[in-house]
Amino acid sequence: MANSNLPRRIIKETQRLLSEPAPGISASPSEDNMRYFNVMILGPTQSPYEGGVFKLELFLPEEYPMAAPKVLFPSLEEM
């Protein structure tokens, strides 16, 4: 994991995310920018979203954690 100029907090949180993934969620940092993540969330069982796969992009701004992460749901054309 390239970590040039990243705050220690982001490095630790990313390592934890990769070593202890939450059930039904996968997130991987971009090789080019460790503040940018591709995320995939599986719809929970026994819910209207069961069987769904939800892709999103997450970006940690320079001000993180004092500023919230930015999340984008790409359009179908981009997927």
Side-chain angles (χ1 to χ4, degrees), residues 28-47:
S28 56
S30 168
E31 291 180 19
D32 298 334
N33 184 345
M34 296 296 293
R35 291 179 175 272
Y36 176 85
F37 292 78
N38 288 302
V39 181
M40 186 170 34
I41 302 173
L42 302 178
T45 57
Q46 299 181 356
S47 80

Side-chain angles (χ1 to χ4, degrees), residues 3 36 44 53 78:
N3 56 18
Y36 176 85
V53 177
E78 295 177 27

Side-chain angles (χ1 to χ4, degrees), residues 8 10 22 56 58 62:
R8 178 180 226 143
I10 292 177
L56 57 110
L58 183 137
E62 288 288 328

